[in-house]
Structures are given as C-alpha cells and as structure tokens.
Amino acid sequence: MRIVILSDVHFTAKKWRNDYLKQTNEWFYNDVFRRFFKQDADLYVSLGDLTHYGTINEHRAVRKIIEDNKRKDQRFLPIAGNHDLLCITKRMYQTLTGMPLYWAEDYPDVKLIFLDTPRQLHPGRNSSRVDWDQIQFLKRELHSCGDKLAVVFA
C-alpha cells in the first residue's frame, strides 16, 4: 500500500492587503496540492493543520482547492490538527469534512488507525491529548491486529 502524507499546510483565507498577495497565496496552495495529488498512491493523508486559524472560511476554501486538484478516484483523508480546531468545534469539523474524528481501516497487510488528538477551541501549549475512549479504542484495534502491521496516524 502506498500512502502520500502531507502535514501542517496552514492555509489561510485572511483578507489580503492587495490582489498580488491573494493571488500568490492561491497559486502556492494550488501548486502544493497539485503536486501532492500528482503522486501515485492508494491513499492521500493530511496529518493535521490544513488551516491556520481554523475558521469556517479557511476550511471551505482549502477544501475547494483540494477538490480542484484531486481526481475523483483519489481518496483523501484529513486528520484534524490543533489549528483546524482553533475557531470551530469538533462537531463542526465533522460536518465540514464529512469525516469521523477517529477510526481504523483494515487492509490485507496493514491496519491503519487514525486518532483524534487536538483539543477544540484551545490555543496555546498543551493543545493535544488522547482521551480515555480513544485509548480503549486504540488498545482494541492494536489487539485485533495480531501479527499484522499497524500504522497509527495522530
């Protein structure tokens, strides 16, 4: 299985002082995602911080750039990062992305486990953690692997 990983993109949709800065920002992020989805892979994963401030506008704008640059047959899995949840709740994030907060996927040779580590609406230090339910989930998933390789994304 081939997985392409991207992390800490920190897309911002702030109001730019001039059109040149706005166009440069749009060009840069389109180029990043064009190159990302140009890679031949089974899965495309973002390990968090797709956005910088985590506003609804940033989430919608970066999702549009992603959709404009990926093919329909390419599977993109975003994991929430602390910046993605600075201005919105986890429930809002799920609504915007259509993704669960944590989950596992079983493949013939590997089990992929995706965790939810950021705290919502919590800027500053110590903005990540794994709660008790996820610890139990992780234990169950790792136990069910047996000798199969497990890869944890957080």
Side-chain angles (χ1 to χ4, degrees):
M1 168 173 263
R2 185 173 156 102
I3 302 171
V4 179
I5 297 173
L6 183 70
S7 180
D8 294 276
V9 173
H10 288 273
F11 174 82
T12 183
K14 70 179 190 174
K15 292 184 180 178
W16 294 97
R17 285 182 287 158
N18 60 53
D19 285 341
Y20 174 76
L21 291 175
K22 181 180 179 184
Q23 291 167 358
T24 301
N25 185 62
E26 290 172 3
W27 172 85
F28 173 78
Y29 285 107
N30 271 289
D31 190 56
V32 165
F33 284 105
R34 181 184 57 78
R35 291 171 186 266
F36 178 65
F37 289 115
K38 188 176 180 181
Q39 305 303 310
D40 181 34
D42 301 300
L43 221 51
Y44 300 81
V45 176
S46 169
L47 292 181
D49 293 345
L50 274 175
T51 65
H52 189 66
Y53 297 105
T55 65
I56 290 174
N57 286 342
E58 281 183 349
H59 281 283
R60 287 182 178 151
V62 77
R63 292 299 296 190
K64 182 180 182 328
I65 290 170
I66 290 165
E67 291 304 316
D68 288 349
N69 284 283
K70 78 177 201 60
R71 296 187 323 261
K72 298 248 185 269
D73 65 329
Q74 291 176 309
R75 189 153 175 246
F76 177 67
L77 301 175
I79 300 169
N82 63 319
H83 282 256
D84 298 320
L85 298 175
L86 286 176
C87 293
I88 64 172
T89 64
K90 291 184 178 193
R91 185 172 299 221
M92 290 170 72
Y93 178 83
Q94 286 182 281
T95 300
L96 287 167
T97 64
M99 297 297 299
L101 293 174
Y102 59 94
W103 72 98
E105 298 186 4
D106 218 347
Y107 294 91
D109 297 328
V110 65
K111 177 171 265 197
L112 306 178
I113 303 169
F114 301 85
L115 297 181
D116 168 39
T117 61
R119 293 165 63 183
Q120 63 189 6
L121 308 171
H122 195 290
R125 294 174 30 196
N126 302 319
S127 59
S128 297
R129 69 185 185 110
V130 178
D131 64 24
W132 181 252
D133 290 340
Q134 279 190 90
I135 291 170
Q136 298 309 308
F137 164 79
L138 182 57
K139 283 181 180 180
R140 285 190 308 274
E141 293 299 328
L142 290 173
H143 181 73
S144 72
C145 288
D147 292 332
K148 185 190 297 190
L149 173 67
V151 179
V152 179
F153 298 91

